[in-house]
Amino acid sequence: MADQNGVILFLVISVIALWGIVMVLAAVYLAAFLKRRGQLKAVVLDGEGEVRDAYELGRQRELLIGKSTPANLVNIDFSDSAYAGSIEEEQASFTRYGTCWYICAKGAKGMVGLRQKGGETVYKLRRNIPYRIQKGDIVYISYEKIIIR
């Protein structure tokens, strides 16, 4: 009888330990998955389609897009763009709400467009309305392209 109790106790402890290991591995996998899923990059292309700059959309809450001035610095600067005349100081912003990123047009006169992954149509964004962005989307600031990767 004592041997049976010892075997049962051993089996119970083994199952609990195995369950604990499974839970730890699942938590590690889930954390890595969420980290990969949340990592977006905004890649700015030049006129020839080459990468000009890349910005991690990581821990920041907001990245301003426009033209930097001494009084107003932006994160993604198009001051030296061939289309700078049609881009305002604060043309748009990438904003994070929770784990999702959004593009929001801020300028009154400049164009901000969004072409969703796999789509053909470029939608002109309405001012102060956030639009969700995902990998594969293309954001147009005037005629400049930002690809979301």
Side-chain angles (χ1 to χ4, degrees):
M1 190 68 152
D3 285 340
Q4 283 184 336
N5 287 340
V7 169
I8 291 173
L9 181 61
F10 173 77
L11 290 174
V12 168
I13 291 173
S14 297
V15 168
I16 292 172
L18 185 60
W19 182 251
I21 291 170
V22 168
M23 293 304 291
V24 167
L25 290 175
V28 168
Y29 176 79
L30 182 61
F33 172 77
L34 291 175
K35 184 177 180 184
R36 278 192 319 272
R37 186 178 139 235
Q39 291 178 341
L40 289 181
K41 188 182 287 189
V43 178
V44 180
L45 302 181
D46 63 13
E48 288 84 43
E50 300 294 321
V51 174
R52 187 176 92 183
D53 276 318
Y55 302 88
E56 289 286 335
L57 302 181
R59 295 182 179 254
Q60 306 92 320
R61 184 125 164 81
E62 180 178 49
L63 277 87
L64 290 175
I65 305 166
K67 296 187 299 188
S68 286
T69 64
N72 184 41
L73 296 176
V74 297
N75 302 97
I76 302 176
D77 189 5
F78 288 108
S79 297
D80 61 348
S81 165
Y83 307 104
S86 64
I87 298 174
E88 297 183 42
E89 287 181 15
E90 286 191 17
Q91 183 77 23
S93 67
F94 289 120
T95 307
R96 180 175 51 87
Y97 296 107
T99 60
C100 299
W101 281 91
Y102 296 82
I103 180 74
C104 185
K106 293 181 169 257
K109 56 184 175 166
M111 197 279 284
V112 178
L114 175 64
R115 185 171 79 193
Q116 294 174 324
K117 178 181 180 178
E120 297 292 324
T121 306
V122 176
Y123 298 97
K124 182 178 180 186
L125 305 187
R126 295 179 62 195
R127 189 172 173 207
N128 296 323
I129 297 176
Y131 296 84
R132 185 169 179 200
I133 57 171
Q134 299 179 31
K135 288 183 181 182
D137 290 351
I138 300 175
V139 174
Y140 294 88
I141 305 296
S142 183
Y143 292 99
E144 297 285 353
K145 285 185 184 179
I146 302 174
I147 297 178
I148 308 300
R149 293 187 178 156

